[in-house]
């Protein structure tokens, strides 16, 4: 411990204004260091009191360290640098007389072990310039913020007025839609009736044509099965068709053939077409002679034998007629060649005539149309359009004029309804968009509305980060690849006393074996809207720094820029 005389010298009083105080005492605490009538000092926490001479005696008497503001005796003590010309600074008491100049005025190193140069005026000047710069930026930011706020309020009023107008328009649009729907229903009823009648007549016509085709096929099959041309198909004529083999043993028995004939021995054409053919048409196959399969032509009928055989012709071996003919004269050859050429030309002419005939007959005959009452209407004259019979059979005839008028009227009603319906839907979409906008919190004065529908990007060494304010946040690799969602707009997330200092974007793409990604956007005062930084404080939880004029308050004092220096 220093001699008592030296300790008393340490109590040198520093005047600041009109209130004297010991070394290391801040202006705000100067009143605690005024000795009372009994010359007693009371610890600031009120825990103890002792003679005033104990203050700054390099011995810690108070639990809060308040009796040693100018020495390093108390581990929790604080030393205040007066720093006239600059700003006061509070440092830990352990730094007093430690050989390092912490105070710009050098008051923390009063032991004489080191000489500190007073730089407070120079630092104060720089500090003042910095404060003026920041104040200028704040003022510019506040000016822009006011402009943004005025624009936001105006925008909200316009959208509010538009919303009210749309809500009124919606009632009229809904009424119009209902009227158009009623007219549509009224026009579609006779249209549907006429179309159904037309369709029914066409279905009946197709059924008739199908029945005719089926009957024709049945008659053809009957004629093919009736091999003896007695106008009956009997069991013996059926057994030669392997497709009637029910038990698949390779032989059609008379019982199997009879079963196909509805248990009768034979049937006539009408019975076959009406009763037998519907049951066998799916399996029936006409007989094809083996000669036709190999040569592509039907073999000529076999010559009858026995009594009905034709007597032998003279062209038998040994008869004069069987001898080879005598050689022809060369002139006969020429005559024969000329006759063959004439025959060839006649055949060519016949082919040309046949081609002409085929071309003229290839044009499909127009089908009759079906009137509203179901009767057939005479067809229009044939056109040059080529159409196969199969195509014409499957194509429904055109509607009659009366039905066409009904269809045209229904189309007009449908178009009017569709237009009214789309108008109502468009109004509903705009109303929904406006309501979403009106429900967003754009700050106390609508100043943040300027950021709506704007996107900003920031790129670091690996990723490009993107923020669409009030919508979503994402990242994508600089090297290329798909975009990863970091979250969609959630809510304002600042503290209670500064609610509009940060936003939360949540429910982003899920991290593997982890939570959904999210982003907290921190807003700070700046001259322009700019995304300045992106980082990941914890796994899958990101943070963006965003500067914007709308976060400027204009409440900056010279001490504000150095608040973090106070330890």
């Amino acid at each position: 411990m220093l001699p008592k005389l030296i300790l008393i010298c340490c109590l040198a009083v520093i005047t600041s204004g009109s209130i004297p105080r010991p070394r290391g005492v801040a202006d705000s605490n100067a009143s605690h260091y005024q000795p009372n009538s009994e010359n007693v000092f009371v610890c600031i926490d009120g825990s103890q009191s002792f003679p005033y001479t104990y203050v700054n005696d390099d011995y810690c008497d108070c639990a809060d360290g308040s009796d040693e503001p100018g020495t390093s005796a108390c581990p929790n003590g604080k030393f205040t640098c007066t720093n006239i010309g600059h700003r006061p600074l509070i440092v830990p008491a352990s730094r007093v007389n430690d050989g390092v100049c912490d105070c710009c005025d050098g008051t923390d190193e009063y032991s004489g072990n080191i000489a500190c140069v007073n730089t407070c005026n120079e630092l104060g000047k720089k500090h003042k310039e910095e404060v003026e710069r920041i104040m200028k930026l704040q003022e510019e930011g506040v000016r822009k913020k006011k402009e943004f706020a005025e624009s936001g309020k105006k925008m909200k009023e316009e959208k509010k007025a538009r919303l009210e107008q749309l809500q009124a328009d919606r009632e009229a649009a809904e009424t119009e839609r209902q009227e158009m729907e009623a007219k549509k229903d009224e026009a579609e009823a006779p249209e549907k009736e006429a179309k159904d009648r037309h369709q029914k007549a066409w279905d009946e016509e197709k059924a008739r044509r199908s029945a005719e085709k089926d009957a024709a096929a049945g008659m053809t099959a009957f004629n093919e099965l009736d091999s003896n041309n007695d106008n009956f198909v009997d069991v013996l004529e059926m057994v030669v068709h392997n497709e009637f083999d029910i038990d698949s043993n390779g032989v059609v028995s008379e019982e199997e053939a009879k079963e196909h004939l509805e248990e009768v021995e034979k049937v006539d054409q009408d019975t076959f077409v009406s009763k037998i053919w519907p049951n066998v048409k799916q399996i029936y196959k006409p007989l094809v002679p083996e000669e036709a399969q190999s040569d592509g032509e039907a073999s000529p009928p076999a010559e009858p034998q026995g009594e009905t055989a034709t007597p032998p012709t003279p062209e038998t071996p040994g008869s004069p007629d069987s001898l080879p003919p005598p050689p022809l004269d060369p002139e006969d050859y020429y005559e024969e060649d000329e006759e063959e050429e004439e025959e060839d030309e006649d055949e060519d002419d016949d082919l040309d005539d046949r081609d002409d005939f085929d071309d003229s007959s290839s044009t499909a005959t127009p089908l009759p149309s079906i009137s509203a009452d179901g009767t057939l209407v005479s067809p229009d004259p044939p056109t040059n359009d080529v159409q196969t019979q199969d195509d014409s059979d499957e194509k429904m005839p055109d509607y009659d004029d009366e039905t066409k008028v009904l269809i045209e009227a229904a189309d007009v009603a449908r178009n009017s309804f569709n237009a009214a319906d789309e108008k109502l839907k468009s109004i509903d979409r705009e109303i929904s968009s406006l309501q979403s906008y009106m429900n967003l919190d754009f700050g106390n004065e609508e100043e943040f509305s300027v950021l709506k529908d704007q996107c900003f990007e920031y790129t670091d060494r690996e990723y490009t980060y993107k923020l669409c304010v009030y919508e979503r946040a994402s990242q994508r690799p600089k090297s290329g690849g798909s975009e990863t969602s970091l979250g969609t707009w959630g809510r304002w997330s600042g503290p209670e006393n500064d609610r509009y200092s940060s936003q939360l974007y949540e429910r982003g793409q899920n991290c593997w074996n982890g939570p959904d990604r999210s982003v907290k956007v921190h807003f700070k005062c700046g001259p322009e809207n700019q995304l300045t930084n992106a980082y990941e404080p914890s796994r899958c939880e990101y943070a963006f720094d965003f500067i914007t004029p709308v976060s400027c308050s204009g409440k900056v004092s010279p001490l504000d820029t150095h608040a973090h220096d106070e330890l």
Side-chain angles (χ1 to χ4, degrees):
M1 183 178 292
L2 295 174
K4 196 70 173 178
L5 181 62
I6 298 177
L7 291 177
I8 294 174
C9 291
C10 291
L11 295 175
V13 176
I14 301 174
T15 59
S16 176
S18 60
I19 304 176
R21 64 186 189 277
R23 186 191 302 274
V25 176
D27 284 341
S28 59
N29 291 329
S31 60
H32 293 283
Y33 293 88
Q34 299 299 314
N36 55 24
S37 59
E38 298 178 357
N39 206 26
V40 174
F41 175 78
V42 179
C43 298
I44 293 179
D45 63 3
S47 60
Q48 298 185 60
S49 61
F50 35 80
Y52 191 79
T53 56
Y54 284 16
V55 176
N56 279 343
D57 65 351
D58 205 21
Y59 184 84
C60 191
D61 297 292
C62 296
D64 61 1
S66 58
D67 64 312
E68 297 297 319
T71 73
S72 59
C74 295
N76 58 342
K78 302 293 183 181
F79 181 89
T80 301
C81 304
T82 305
N83 292 344
I84 296 174
H86 189 27
R87 61 172 182 81
L89 178 65
I90 299 175
V91 297
S94 60
R95 297 185 181 182
V96 175
N97 291 324
D98 64 349
V100 178
C101 298
D102 296 290
C103 303
C104 65
D105 60 3
T107 54
D108 61 314
E109 299 297 324
Y110 56 82
S111 65
N113 294 330
I114 185 174
C116 296
V117 179
N118 190 331
T119 59
C120 288
N121 289 334
E122 182 181 354
L123 293 176
K125 182 180 178 181
K126 292 181 179 179
H127 175 62
K128 182 180 179 180
E129 292 174 353
E130 178 66 14
V131 169
E132 289 176 350
R133 186 188 70 82
I134 294 176
M135 286 294 294
K136 187 175 180 180
L137 291 177
Q138 284 278 6
E139 290 174 359
E140 179 66 16
V142 169
R143 184 187 65 78
K144 290 184 178 181
K145 178 179 179 180
K146 289 181 179 179
E147 293 178 358
F148 295 156
E150 292 175 0
S151 176
K153 291 176 182 177
K154 182 179 178 182
M155 178 69 72
K156 197 154 196 175
E157 288 298 322
E158 291 176 352
K159 290 185 178 293
K160 181 179 179 182
R162 176 61 178 166
L163 181 59
E164 292 174 352
Q165 180 63 47
L166 285 172
Q167 288 171 341
D169 293 345
R170 190 187 186 286
E171 295 181 5
E174 176 67 23
T175 300
E176 181 183 6
R177 181 187 182 281
Q178 292 175 355
E179 292 176 355
M180 293 301 102
E181 186 174 20
K183 291 182 179 180
K184 178 179 74 74
D185 293 343
E186 183 180 355
E188 285 180 338
E191 177 203 39
K192 182 178 184 304
E193 182 180 351
K195 281 186 172 181
D196 290 345
R197 185 168 55 248
H198 183 88
Q199 184 66 49
K200 181 180 178 182
W202 172 236
D203 290 342
E204 293 174 353
E205 174 65 14
K206 288 194 296 182
R208 182 189 64 78
R209 293 181 183 182
S210 177
E212 288 180 352
K213 288 182 179 180
D214 197 46
M219 287 187 288
T220 300
F222 178 86
N223 292 332
E224 291 173 348
L225 288 169
D226 184 16
S227 58
N228 59 5
N229 297 323
D230 63 350
N231 294 325
F232 285 95
V233 171
D234 56 28
V235 170
L236 295 179
E237 291 171 327
M238 294 280 286
V239 297
V240 297
H241 284 258
N242 292 332
E243 63 268 23
F244 298 137
D245 181 11
I246 296 177
D247 57 10
S248 302
N249 63 353
V251 178
V252 180
S253 64
E254 293 186 6
E255 289 75 11
E256 289 174 329
K258 191 173 183 181
E259 182 174 345
H260 286 297
L261 291 177
E262 300 290 340
E263 302 301 331
V264 297
E265 293 293 335
K266 61 181 180 178
V267 294
D268 58 15
Q269 186 182 69
D270 291 340
T271 303
F272 179 85
V273 172
S274 61
K275 292 185 178 181
I276 308 304
W277 178 242
N279 297 328
V280 301
K281 63 182 180 181
Q282 297 298 330
I283 61 173
Y284 171 74
K285 296 178 182 179
L287 291 178
V288 179
E290 295 181 0
E291 294 83 0
Q293 292 180 353
S294 58
D295 300 335
E297 297 179 357
S299 59
E303 295 182 358
Q305 302 295 327
E307 296 179 356
T308 60
T310 303
T313 62
E315 298 179 359
T316 57
S319 66
D321 293 336
S322 64
L323 296 176
L328 294 176
D329 189 279
E331 293 181 359
D332 295 336
Y333 281 105
Y334 292 123
E335 291 177 359
E336 184 178 356
D337 291 340
E338 290 175 358
E339 290 176 358
E340 289 178 356
E341 290 176 0
E342 290 176 358
E343 290 176 0
D344 291 340
E345 290 176 358
D346 292 340
E347 289 178 1
D348 292 339
D349 293 339
D350 292 340
L351 290 174
D352 292 340
D353 293 342
R354 184 165 65 251
D355 290 341
D356 294 339
F357 175 79
D358 292 340
D359 290 341
S360 63
S361 62
S362 62
T363 301
T365 303
L367 293 174
S369 61
I370 303 174
S371 65
D373 58 1
T375 60
L376 293 180
V377 180
S378 299
D380 295 329
T383 63
N384 292 329
D385 296 333
V386 178
Q387 185 181 36
T388 64
Q389 185 64 34
D390 290 340
D391 291 340
S392 64
D393 287 346
E394 294 300 325
K395 184 178 180 180
M396 183 173 66
D398 198 6
Y399 293 109
D400 60 89
D401 292 341
E402 181 181 352
T403 303
K404 290 179 179 179
V405 170
L406 294 175
I407 294 174
E408 183 177 355
D411 286 340
V412 171
R414 274 190 289 269
N415 291 337
S416 299
F417 168 77
N418 291 337
D421 184 61
E422 179 56 33
K423 179 180 178 181
L424 180 61
K425 290 179 178 178
S426 177
I427 291 175
D428 285 339
R429 287 193 294 267
E430 190 173 356
I431 287 176
S432 177
S433 176
L434 288 172
Q435 287 176 338
S436 297
Y437 182 92
M438 298 294 288
N439 291 333
L440 289 174
D441 186 353
F442 292 119
N444 293 324
E445 298 181 348
E446 306 298 322
E447 64 272 22
F448 282 92
S449 63
V450 69
L451 301 177
K452 179 74 170 68
D453 299 327
Q454 291 198 53
C455 296
F456 306 87
E457 290 189 350
Y458 169 79
T459 301
D460 63 10
R461 292 178 299 177
E462 296 184 47
Y463 296 98
T464 294
Y465 298 89
K466 187 175 184 179
L467 172 65
C468 295
V469 187
Y470 286 103
E471 292 182 13
R472 59 188 176 85
S474 62
Q475 72 172 7
R476 66 178 184 274
K478 285 176 61 178
S479 58
S482 60
E483 191 174 69
T484 300
S485 171
L486 301 183
T488 56
W489 161 250
R491 55 186 171 84
W492 287 101
S493 58
E496 186 176 352
N497 63 341
D498 194 10
R499 183 167 179 267
Y500 298 108
S501 62
S502 64
Q503 289 181 342
L504 180 64
Y505 292 74
E506 51 193 353
R507 296 183 300 276
Q509 186 172 329
N510 182 262
C511 284
W512 183 83
N513 199 26
D516 292 342
R517 290 175 172 83
S518 63
V519 177
K520 197 166 189 178
V521 182
H522 300 283
F523 291 93
K524 299 178 181 179
C525 175
E528 301 294 338
N529 297 321
Q530 185 180 1
L531 184 61
T532 59
N533 195 14
Y535 46 101
E536 190 176 1
S538 58
R539 184 169 180 262
C540 302
E541 294 181 358
Y542 297 79
F544 289 174
D545 289 338
F546 191 91
I547 61 172
T548 173
V550 297
S551 291
C552 297
S553 64
K555 299 177 181 179
V556 177
S557 66
L559 292 179
D560 287 341
T561 57
H562 296 275
H564 296 292
D565 292 338
E566 296 183 1
L567 302 176

